[in-house]
Structure formats: C-alpha cells, structure tokens
Amino acid sequence: MVKKMDYRVLAIDLDGTLTNSRKQITSYTREILRAAMDRGIKIILASGRPVLGIRNIAEELELKQFGGYILAYNGGQIIDCHHEKVIFEKLIPNRFYSEICRIARSFGVQPLTYLGSEVLAESEEDPYVRREAYNNSTTIKKVGRVDHAVKQQVPKFMLVGENDRLKMAQECIKKTFLDKLDVFFSEPYFLEIVPAGIEKAKALEILLFKLSLFPENLMAFGDGMNDIPMLLYAGYSVAMENACQRVKEVADFITVSNDEDGVAKVVKTLLLDGKNHSGGRDESINCNCNI
C-alpha cells in the first residue's frame, strides 16, 4: 500500500514522463498539476535538459506564480522560479573544454553545449544536433569551434552521433578525466558530460534541505536510467509504462504511459482524490477522469 505520508513535493522528469511524444503537456495534465499546486504541493521539473529547454514548460505550468523549481542539466543547476534565481549550480571547468572537443572530433562525433537560448554546435545539419535543438524547442548557433566559442563555464557538454562512436569517446573521456567528470548516455545517440557527482537525487537532497523537507515528502516520476537515483531517493516513486525495465523494477508503482497522461492520473488518484493503491500497475488509473 502507499504509505500514509505527507507528499508536499513532486519531482517530475520531462521527456518520456511529463511530456507526450510530441514534447507537449496535455491540457488534462496541466489542469491536474495546477490543482495540486493550488493545494500547496510544489513541483520540481527535474530533467537532463538545459534551462532553455525547461523554461517554457515552467511558464506553461505557472511555476513562478505557484513557487516551483527547475532542476536542469540532470541536477547541475537548480532555479527557484518564484524568485527567478539560481540556488545551486556546479560547472565544468573551462580548462577541460578543448580536450572534450578534441576527443569528440577524433571519434567523428559532434560536441555541443548551450549559449543563451540556443544550442551551440559546429554543425547545423547533423541530425543529432538538430534533434537536440528540437527537444529543447530552440535553434542552433553554428560556430567554428565550440571550445573557442564558450567564454563562460557551463554545466554540461553533450557529444552526439552514432552509438558505437560515442561509446569509444565515452571510454576515452573517462580515462582522460578520471573522477573529474561523469559521462553517461541519456539516449543511444546522446552522451552527456557533467561535473562529477551530478545527479538528480543529490540535487533534490540539496533542495529538500533548503525547504526543510525530507525524502518522505517527495514523490518522483521518471522513465529513464538517469531517473533511477531520484526514484530510489524519493519517498514514493512512479515509473511510466514506457519506461525501461530497470526503471520499472526500482519504482513503487507503474503508471500508464506519457501519451496517456500517466503523471496526471497518479497525482489525481493519490493526491487529489486521496486514494491508496497497492504496488504494481493499477488498471483503475486508466480511467479518463476530469477534475
């Protein structure tokens, strides 16, 4: 059974979880989450996306008004939406940039990062660079060399390309930087590079401490491998039906897919209607409920 806990915070992954296959939040999900926030529940948008790819969703959900948070770059930066300020960030040192980009070029993959509201890359035509721009509803700023174009420290680099080439680049980066950087796949064609120790669970721990709350007050939703630490950390964890098998194995509950308003249906059933259910997949959550 769901523990009788005081869930005050929802940490929700975006791609494959909150947004549907069109990268959109449905009107049903939006209304359910607003109803939850009306009751004082805080929402954290917890994603590997950069801030530029999350801010529009935060605006759509009115997180500034309701006092929500953005947890971007897989936990590399936390933003208080109400006060519009960064309350935590961890950045990659500038001195690493040239070597990261050199390794990318040596294996025939594209390095990219983010500048303002754009994806910063050396190609506008690469299909994987274009996919990252699409995922974040933004444009590509083409430069001669990414490492030369970036003047300030950034929370994340990404290498994009064919999986076999990225795997070789991943091993090279691990050997080169040892315990200074974490390198992991978010998709077979997306290799993420962040400062060592960055993950959603650790960022949530920092945020909950600032809010004087505990893991028992947190309900988390996710579908990808990078969501596992967050799901294990939360007092109650929910995997999407479209999640990979390992994510389903660690979750307390499996909801319907991101194309079936899976997040909203759990929030309505457990937090708005106050119903308990057993672990596993509850078919009653398939209902087409209205507020």
Side-chain angles (χ1 to χ4, degrees), residues 14-266:
L14 297 187
D15 298 302
T17 302
L18 182 61
T19 62
N20 60 22
S21 297
R22 295 183 177 182
K23 306 293 182 184
Q24 298 171 339
I25 300 177
T26 67
S27 59
Y28 174 75
T29 290
R30 183 169 56 250
E31 293 306 313
I32 289 292
L33 293 183
R34 285 180 180 174
M37 289 187 286
D38 275 334
R39 297 191 183 187
I41 294 170
K42 299 296 184 184
I43 288 181
I44 305 168
L45 300 179
S47 176
R49 289 190 190 186
V51 175
L52 64 91
I54 306 175
R55 198 175 296 280
N56 62 328
I57 294 176
E59 291 172 354
E60 187 176 349
L61 293 175
E62 300 182 72
L63 294 195
K64 178 176 172 60
Q65 173 188 335
F66 288 104
Y69 298 85
I70 290 173
L71 192 158
Y73 304 107
N74 211 52
Q77 190 175 83
I78 304 172
I79 295 176
D80 177 337
C81 295
H82 181 68
H83 296 98
E84 298 183 334
K85 68 176 184 178
V86 175
I87 59 177
F88 169 81
E89 68 178 359
K90 190 171 182 181
L91 306 173
I92 301 174
N94 299 75
R95 65 183 184 276
F96 294 169
Y97 299 173
S98 292
E99 185 62 12
I100 290 171
C101 292
R102 187 199 66 79
I103 291 170
R105 297 182 195 105
S106 70
F107 288 101
V109 296
Q110 291 288 328
L112 64 82
T113 188
Y114 313 92
L115 182 65
S117 61
E118 296 179 298
V119 170
L120 192 68
E122 297 170 4
S123 170
E124 292 177 301
E125 303 303 323
D126 183 272
Y128 302 112
V129 172
R130 293 171 68 90
R131 185 176 296 234
E132 174 62 3
Y134 168 77
N135 286 347
N136 291 286
S137 302
T138 190
T139 55
I140 302 164
K141 180 177 178 62
K142 182 181 177 181
V143 296
R145 286 183 54 166
V146 168
D147 49 320
H148 288 179
V150 180
K151 304 302 181 183
Q152 74 279 9
Q153 289 184 313
V154 296
K156 183 178 83 168
F157 267 82
M158 183 184 286
L159 305 188
V160 302
E162 297 300 324
N163 183 254
D164 57 345
R165 292 177 178 270
L166 289 176
K167 285 180 178 178
M168 293 186 288
Q170 180 185 35
E171 289 306 310
C172 187
I173 290 171
K174 285 181 177 180
K175 290 177 181 177
T176 301
F177 294 101
L178 300 176
D179 60 350
K180 297 180 177 67
L181 296 174
D182 285 341
V183 191
F184 57 91
F185 283 93
S186 56
E187 298 284 356
Y189 41 81
F190 286 165
L191 184 65
E192 313 261 346
I193 305 170
V194 298
I198 289 298
E199 63 178 25
K200 293 182 183 182
K202 291 184 179 179
L204 287 169
E205 183 178 17
I206 292 168
L207 181 54
L208 289 182
F209 179 79
K210 289 180 179 292
L211 297 174
S212 299
L213 296 174
F214 303 92
E216 291 79 8
N217 302 124
L218 173 67
M219 182 181 291
F221 298 80
D223 74 303
M225 294 295 288
N226 64 326
D227 294 319
I228 289 177
M230 173 175 75
L231 298 178
L232 291 172
Y233 177 73
Y236 191 71
S237 58
V238 180
M240 311 304 291
E241 181 61 43
N242 50 284
C244 58
Q245 184 58 35
R246 177 58 183 150
V247 174
K248 293 179 179 179
E249 289 170 359
V250 305
D252 294 309
F253 182 74
I254 303 170
T255 185
V256 294
S257 78
N258 64 316
D259 283 323
E260 301 171 88
D261 295 302
V263 169
K265 288 174 180 177
V266 170

